[in-house]
Amino acid sequence: MAESFTDTPLLTTRFDEALHYATRHHARQLRKGTPIPYAAHLLAAASLVLEMHGDEDEAIGALLHDVVEDGGGEKALREIEAAFGPKVAQIVLANSDSVLDEGEERPRWYERKKAYLDAFPHKSPAALRVSLADKLHNARSILLDYRNEGDVLWGRFGQGQGIATRIYYRELAAAFERERERLGPAAEPFVGELRRVVDAITALAEEHQGPDTRTLFEG
């Protein structure tokens, strides 16, 4: 298939600078319980956003989406706004389940995840696409590792059987389905894929552990 080209670059030096910012921040960080550099997840999320026809700001937001949550806090959020603009900063903020100043204690897991889900109707379409890219890549990785490792996988999440994580991802899949119109037609296949991956994780868990239908985030 012949390649096509545009008259102007689709990704500029801003994207390059964001990639360097992200890789510096996450330089010593690995994907949970693996030897994989954390940058692999950031690049995957940015790739998925671009496949959803997201623009450069969204792709940059995907590269930076964990900087604030993973130790950068308010200081990093200010740096991101100054370097990459308010739209990128808002995308990053909307995809952070906590924004802490130095010495502040992180809220409990349940409180953070419920607040993240409750905020879906208020997220911009751009922030939703970055969120979908993030969660889809996470879910793909969970399914792949679950197939290879079995229930040992859930030890990475501090959970004996992984029930809370699986419930959270089922709720995420439902939340994206409710927002599919705002996500746009190019994101539709990815909403469907997230549902299929989450259902596959649930089915695998039921093979290992029995029925898995509980909910945590109602109301």
Side-chain angles (χ1 to χ4, degrees):
M1 182 184 295
E3 299 294 336
S4 58
F5 296 88
T6 64
D7 293 331
T8 57
L10 299 174
L11 298 175
T12 68
T13 56
R14 291 176 67 242
F15 183 88
D16 302 338
E17 290 161 6
L19 178 58
H20 284 300
Y21 186 103
T23 53
R24 283 197 306 271
H25 180 84
H26 297 283
R28 298 177 182 274
Q29 190 174 354
L30 301 173
R31 287 286 277 165
K32 190 174 292 187
T34 77
I36 300 169
Y38 200 80
H41 169 61
L42 307 176
L43 290 164
S47 175
L48 286 167
V49 164
L50 292 169
E51 290 178 46
M52 294 178 210
H53 302 179
D55 63 17
E56 184 176 49
D57 280 340
E58 292 172 41
I60 290 172
L63 291 175
L64 302 176
H65 76 271
D66 275 332
V67 167
V68 170
E69 182 180 311
D70 286 353
E74 290 279 3
K75 178 177 180 290
L77 189 61
R78 291 192 296 271
E79 289 176 354
I80 288 167
E81 182 166 5
F84 304 106
K87 181 180 175 183
V88 171
Q90 283 302 314
I91 289 170
V92 172
L93 180 60
N95 281 279
S96 303
D97 71 11
S98 57
V99 182
L100 306 177
D101 285 322
E102 191 172 343
E104 267 191 295
E105 189 173 337
R106 211 174 198 189
R108 294 184 308 153
W109 182 91
Y110 171 83
E111 293 167 352
R112 289 185 282 116
K113 302 311 180 188
K114 186 172 189 311
Y116 189 90
L117 286 163
D118 288 346
F120 261 62
H122 311 293
K123 294 183 195 290
S124 68
L128 285 170
R129 283 188 287 270
V130 171
S131 179
L132 176 57
D134 171 29
K135 303 312 180 189
L136 176 55
H137 184 250
N138 284 341
R140 284 176 177 176
S141 300
I142 289 169
L143 178 59
L144 178 65
D145 290 347
Y146 199 13
R147 284 172 171 159
N148 289 329
E149 300 175 23
D151 285 332
V152 171
L153 163 72
W154 304 117
R156 298 182 195 171
F157 299 87
Q159 299 173 20
Q161 292 188 308
I163 293 168
T165 293
R166 292 197 301 276
I167 291 171
Y168 178 50
Y169 273 85
R170 289 202 294 269
E171 294 292 336
L172 283 166
F176 285 115
E177 287 166 343
R178 289 191 294 270
E179 300 294 339
R180 64 172 78 235
E181 195 169 314
R182 292 202 301 127
L183 279 157
E188 179 69 26
F190 300 93
V191 175
E193 185 185 353
L194 179 62
R195 168 55 67 188
R196 291 191 296 275
V197 173
V198 168
D199 286 350
I201 293 168
T202 297
L204 196 56
E206 288 179 345
E207 286 179 24
H208 289 219
Q209 303 173 14
D212 188 10
T213 57
R214 281 167 279 190
T215 60
L216 288 177
F217 300 100
E218 291 180 337

